[in-house]
Amino acid sequence: MATATSAQRREQARRDYDAFLAACPTRELLSTLSDKWTALVIAALADGPRRHGELARRIAGVSQKMLTQTLRGLERDGLVTRSVTVSMPVRVDYELTPLGRELLPVMAAIKEWAETHMDRVLQARARFEGP
Amino acid sequence: MATATSAQRREQARRDYDAFLAACPTRELLSTLSDKWTALVIAALADGPRRHGELARRIAGVSQKMLTQTLRGLERDGLVTRSVTVSMPVRVDYELTPLGRELLPVMAAIKEWAETHMDRVLQARARFEGP
DNA sequence: CAGTATCCCAACGGATACTG
DNA sequence: CAGTATCCGTTGGGATACTG
């Protein structure tokens, strides 16, 4: 039913999916979302399409193997589109899909939480290792 | 300055931390948060203290090695407390700290997003592999 | 530039057995 | 019950070299 409201869809999902169950496909999706580079890639695409090289430069430390792999995964899951412009040299742009854009605030929140609370975590670590 | 407002702290954090940088400690924290089991453990502690065994049963498929390891990491980072009641047999309770409780809505959002949008992701995958 | 293909080591993480 | 210790296969992920 394409006319389901988002509230209805959420209710339906609650019946169908439960990430606490090992067999649930959600578990795998959660793994993808929790991937080392996913949050950063999604965040880097927040402001619009980006080329492969732009992403590589923006996300310091990512190897191009991992970047490609992460992007492929996101493309496969319908979160990112990949468009090739045939020229010389080739140009490839990645962009969030509507679905990916729905994920954006959630992922951004994690990245932001980490940045905002880093101090307190470092203090906690000092206390934990320390005495 | 313990009297800094949260807005001030956020602004300060923006100056100090940037997860796009490889050397930033945030990168490591982001890894912890993006850990395979972290989201589920945090979610399982949402409603109050839980014993080790309770968590193991709630989070299907987690080995006790991974559960312990995840809990230790969260404890180290000041997100979870571990309290031992000396009796026979020993009783150990885990509980979110105030800091951990601040993280809860963020992690819950991911788990919920995954459960809510699983359908569309599965459809995207079918389209990707399919034709 | 964007990407694939290898090689290869380190870690992740499960199974099992043992302790207080 | 709550953990530690060990073994050991699987995967993650970097470095490098090569292609359209």
Side-chain angles (χ1 to χ4, degrees):
Chain A
M1 197 68 53
T3 56
T5 67
S6 64
Q8 285 174 325
R9 263 192 290 103
R10 213 168 317 123
E11 198 196 330
Q12 179 66 36
R14 219 179 299 283
R15 270 196 301 275
D16 291 348
Y17 300 117
D18 178 1
F20 281 125
L21 305 177
C24 187
T26 314
R27 200 48 92 68
E28 194 198 331
L29 176 56
L30 204 57
S31 285
T32 305
L33 299 184
S34 298
D35 181 83
K36 190 179 181 185
W37 300 109
T38 297
L40 292 174
V41 169
I42 300 276
L45 290 172
D47 297 329
R50 288 287 181 274
R51 303 184 57 173
H52 182 103
E54 290 180 306
L55 292 173
R57 257 170 283 118
R58 181 90 177 98
I59 305 170
V62 69
S63 66
Q64 120 265 53
K65 173 183 169 180
M66 278 302 99
L67 180 56
T68 299
Q69 191 171 301
T70 303
L71 286 166
R72 283 288 174 286
L74 294 175
E75 191 192 356
R76 178 182 119 99
D77 284 354
L79 301 171
V80 161
T81 56
R82 173 176 181 272
S83 40
V84 182
T85 307
V86 201
S87 60
M88 189 55 182
V90 171
R91 175 196 177 95
V92 180
D93 286 278
Y94 293 94
E95 184 171 15
L96 291 176
T97 63
L99 186 60
R101 225 167 282 119
E102 286 187 54
L103 179 61
L104 182 56
V106 179
M107 298 311 267
I110 295 198
K111 175 172 175 293
E112 203 165 302
W113 193 95
E115 289 170 359
T116 307
H117 296 80
M118 192 68 234
D119 292 14
R120 291 166 74 184
V121 169
L122 289 177
Q123 285 163 24
R125 280 188 198 163
R127 243 176 288 123
F128 187 78
E129 323 277 4
Chain B
M1 194 74 52
T3 56
T5 66
S6 63
Q8 286 173 326
R9 263 193 292 100
R10 215 168 315 122
E11 198 195 328
Q12 179 67 36
R14 220 179 298 283
R15 271 197 301 276
D16 292 349
Y17 301 116
D18 178 1
F20 280 125
L21 304 177
C24 186
T26 313
R27 199 49 93 67
E28 193 198 331
L29 177 56
L30 204 58
S31 285
T32 305
L33 299 184
S34 299
D35 180 83
K36 191 179 180 184
W37 300 107
T38 297
L40 293 173
V41 169
I42 300 275
L45 290 171
D47 296 330
R50 289 286 182 274
R51 304 184 56 173
H52 183 101
E54 290 179 308
L55 292 173
R57 255 169 284 117
R58 180 87 177 99
I59 305 170
V62 69
S63 67
Q64 122 264 54
K65 173 185 171 180
M66 279 301 99
L67 181 56
T68 299
Q69 191 171 302
T70 302
L71 286 166
R72 284 285 175 287
L74 294 175
E75 191 193 357
R76 178 182 120 100
D77 285 354
L79 301 171
V80 160
T81 57
R82 172 175 181 273
S83 41
V84 182
T85 306
V86 202
S87 61
M88 191 54 181
V90 172
R91 175 195 176 95
V92 180
D93 285 278
Y94 293 94
E95 184 172 14
L96 291 177
T97 63
L99 186 59
R101 224 165 284 117
E102 287 186 52
L103 179 61
L104 182 55
V106 178
M107 299 309 269
I110 295 198
K111 176 172 174 295
E112 202 166 302
W113 193 94
E115 290 169 359
T116 307
H117 295 81
M118 192 68 233
D119 291 16
R120 290 166 73 184
V121 169
L122 289 177
Q123 285 162 22
R125 280 189 199 163
R127 242 174 288 123
F128 188 77
E129 324 276 4

